[in-house]
Amino acid sequence: MVPHNDALVISLLVHDTNVKRVLIDPRSSVNIILLRAINEMQVDDKLVHKARTLSRFDNSSVVTKLEIVLTTFAEGVIKDTKLQVVDMDMSYNIILSRPWIQEMDDVPSTLHQVIKFPSQWGIRQIRGDQQASRSINVMVDSSIKNEIAVKKIAITEFS
């Protein structure tokens, strides 16, 4: 769907589970997965206790307490991927960042809504899910509007 300004969101097979709303983010330096997704996959036995502080764009931080290594299956290419586990509200189930992109020799393109990578069978690709990306943007936009409305109410009540 053109024109667009959509994030690159895909579905990916992770530990025998088809995970939707996977963000491919070359700006991030850490692969992240939601604790809720881990619980649905029933891989609690693979969790390792390891604290790590992640800094956000606004200089706030989140401390993760768990780490997990899960196998990702991308069009025949199989990779063990280290992910930091977060227990918070997030629009994406997984965020795959530079470490995964580089290990896959992946070339992501938000413009073309595709990732391409080499395999033993030639160049493979996974197309982005623009519908999912847009529905996430709608959810984020509405939650921001709700947050602004709540702050206005709080300011009005405080005044």
Side-chain angles (χ1 to χ4, degrees):
M1 294 178 275
V2 223
H4 69 85
N5 192 18
D6 302 320
L8 184 52
V9 178
I10 65 170
S11 294
L12 189 65
L13 190 60
V14 180
H15 188 75
D16 298 328
T17 303
N18 187 28
V19 180
K20 296 179 187 276
R21 296 191 333 253
V22 176
L23 175 67
I24 306 299
D25 187 3
R27 298 166 302 172
S28 292
S29 58
V30 177
N31 298 315
I32 297 172
I33 188 167
L34 287 178
L35 181 59
R36 178 176 36 85
I38 294 290
N39 293 338
E40 289 176 15
M41 288 182 199
Q42 299 177 344
V43 290
D44 299 339
D45 57 323
K46 293 183 172 234
L47 289 170
V48 175
H49 292 276
K50 187 172 184 181
R52 185 169 185 176
T53 303
L54 306 178
S55 296
R56 294 181 182 173
F57 180 73
D58 63 357
N59 279 337
S60 64
S61 60
V62 174
V63 177
T64 66
K65 295 181 178 141
L66 299 168
E67 185 176 272
I68 192 164
V69 175
L70 295 174
T71 305
T72 59
F73 302 88
E75 295 295 318
V77 178
I78 302 168
K79 296 285 181 189
D80 285 337
T81 304
K82 185 187 298 183
L83 300 127
Q84 302 303 311
V85 181
V86 295
D87 186 14
M88 59 188 293
D89 287 333
M90 188 169 76
S91 300
Y92 305 101
N93 291 313
I94 296 177
I95 298 175
L96 293 175
S97 62
R98 284 191 311 268
W100 185 82
I101 292 168
Q102 291 172 359
E103 188 168 328
M104 288 286 295
D105 290 330
D106 186 0
V107 178
S109 173
T110 55
L111 176 64
H112 299 99
Q113 285 293 298
V114 69
I115 59 173
K116 291 187 177 189
F117 48 91
S119 76
Q120 63 185 22
W121 306 280
I123 301 298
R124 308 296 274 189
Q125 69 179 21
I126 300 175
R127 290 234 160 252
D129 184 350
Q130 282 184 281
Q131 301 256 336
S133 181
R134 289 181 179 192
S135 69
I136 289 168
N137 285 342
V138 167
M139 287 188 310
V140 170
D141 287 346
S142 64
S143 69
I144 288 171
K145 287 177 185 173
N146 288 341
E147 187 176 319
I148 289 170
V150 167
K151 286 180 181 177
K152 283 182 181 177
I153 291 169
I155 290 169
T156 305
E157 289 178 358
F158 185 73
S159 298

